[in-house]
Amino acid sequence: MGGLFEELEPIAKVASFYFERSKVIQGNIANADTPFYKPRDLVFEKELEETLRLKRTDPRHIEPSGEGGGYRVVELNDVNGYDANKVNLDKELAKLAETALMTRALNEVLRKEIGKLKLSILGR
Amino acid sequence: MLFKGLEISLTGMLAQRVRMDIHASNLANANSLDENGNPYRRKIPVFEAVLEDVGKTKAYRVRVKKIVEDPSPFKLKYDPSNPLADEKGYVKLPNVDPLREMVDMISAMRTYEANLTAFNTHKGMILSSLSLLKA
């Protein structure tokens, strides 16, 4: 994407980050009774942060792109579970609610941006 | 890939359903003998996390790895008039504690609900993204 749609790209990237994060959290909830399962989370990598912060003003700039789309899965070791399974169900549900709200908010922003583009194309 | 999240939550619901079935069967057999005349042994499901390749991200679905028998000793009841009693007058009863089974069933129900909530939340996210088509 670029040109007309370059405003949309970073927003869409973050939206897809939250979408992927939701899957990881759902995996944690599904494994709430699996012995020795450690919950996982998805974190921003530097690349994604840079995509958001930096704009490519010159085609010679290196495009921030890495495998994994700028985020990676981490194991959460610091969580204190009361048995061999470390999943805290309430925490995971709260995180899931957060990802859902963020996705919706970002989709709302995308909708507004698309609306603006539509306005400039149609002229009314 | 779009619906993988829903599938992961579904495996969670399925696993809890199996767990519920097993605890219900334990409870139902709290006084049963098996086909060899031995007391029924309590069954326990063992879950396993399976790596689900969802493209960029690695998430884990769950599956029931196996169903094991609880090796804890049978309950003994003093009942000399029972034809199954041993020479000291004790009858062996299944190692099922109904209270424990009830607690496990409630736990399975709650986790099932959590997975259902996760399923619906993810569905909402997909619908919200799809509604961009109407923008």
Side-chain angles (χ1 to χ4, degrees):
Chain A
M1 279 194 280
L4 194 57
F5 303 109
E6 73 180 11
E7 300 290 327
L8 302 180
E9 191 179 3
I11 308 170
K13 261 198 159 171
V14 182
S16 86
F17 163 79
Y18 279 106
F19 196 75
E20 295 297 318
R21 190 175 178 221
S22 158
K23 291 178 195 168
V24 177
I25 296 170
Q26 280 174 281
N28 291 342
I29 296 172
N31 283 291
D33 290 309
T34 308
F36 306 111
Y37 179 83
K38 277 182 192 154
R40 286 158 174 87
D41 203 353
L42 207 59
V43 291
F44 267 22
E45 283 280 50
K46 226 177 169 180
E47 309 149 25
L48 188 53
E49 279 173 16
E50 278 169 6
T51 316
L52 302 176
R53 212 178 303 124
L54 304 175
K55 249 195 183 141
R56 282 174 76 222
T57 49
D58 191 300
R60 281 171 298 176
H61 286 171
I62 300 164
E63 190 164 12
S65 72
E67 52 173 335
Y71 35 80
R72 66 190 163 95
V73 180
V74 289
E75 252 183 25
L76 303 178
N77 279 312
D78 54 343
V79 192
N80 290 316
Y82 52 87
D83 57 10
N85 185 293
K86 303 275 185 207
V87 178
N88 183 338
L89 212 51
D90 305 296
K91 212 171 182 174
E92 299 299 330
L93 283 169
K95 281 199 287 185
L96 192 64
E98 184 196 325
T99 61
L101 285 175
M102 281 307 286
T103 309
R104 278 174 189 235
L106 290 163
N107 281 339
E108 235 15 79
V109 177
L110 278 174
R111 194 196 310 280
K112 285 281 186 302
E113 291 290 333
I114 293 169
K116 278 195 254 171
L117 286 175
K118 217 171 178 176
L119 192 68
S120 48
I121 293 166
L122 298 175
R124 64 190 149 83
Chain B
M1 292 305 161
L2 186 61
F3 302 114
K4 271 283 190 272
L6 297 180
E7 274 177 38
I8 289 170
S9 284
L10 267 184
T11 63
M13 284 157 76
L14 191 69
Q16 296 305 323
R17 191 181 283 275
V18 169
R19 192 170 158 220
M20 180 69 101
D21 286 351
I22 289 169
H23 291 311
S25 128
N26 285 343
L27 198 56
N29 287 295
N31 291 304
S32 304
L33 300 175
D34 66 11
E35 60 267 32
N36 303 320
N38 297 316
Y40 173 87
R41 267 198 190 280
R42 176 172 178 260
K43 309 279 189 290
I44 314 166
V46 179
F47 293 164
E48 183 187 34
V50 183
L51 184 64
E52 180 85 51
D53 200 6
V54 289
K56 291 175 186 172
T57 325
K58 288 178 173 63
Y60 287 77
R61 66 186 165 85
V62 66
R63 76 181 178 96
V64 183
K65 190 185 183 188
K66 57 186 172 184
I67 294 165
V68 293
E69 290 193 337
D70 184 349
S72 64
F74 290 121
K75 283 189 285 189
L76 291 176
K77 186 186 173 196
Y78 186 66
D79 187 4
S81 61
N82 193 314
L84 295 169
D86 61 13
E87 62 272 17
K88 285 177 187 157
Y90 284 99
V91 183
K92 274 185 189 165
L93 291 177
N95 54 353
V96 176
D97 181 0
L99 195 62
R100 183 171 182 178
E101 302 302 328
M102 293 303 292
V103 170
D104 279 344
M105 279 165 90
I106 292 169
S107 162
M109 189 171 78
R110 292 286 178 252
T111 318
Y112 184 92
E113 283 169 359
N115 277 295
L116 185 60
T117 305
F119 182 93
N120 281 329
T121 308
H122 197 72
K123 194 176 83 179
M125 288 166 76
I126 294 174
L127 286 176
S128 149
S129 296
L130 283 179
S131 73
L132 282 176
L133 288 173
K134 293 187 284 185

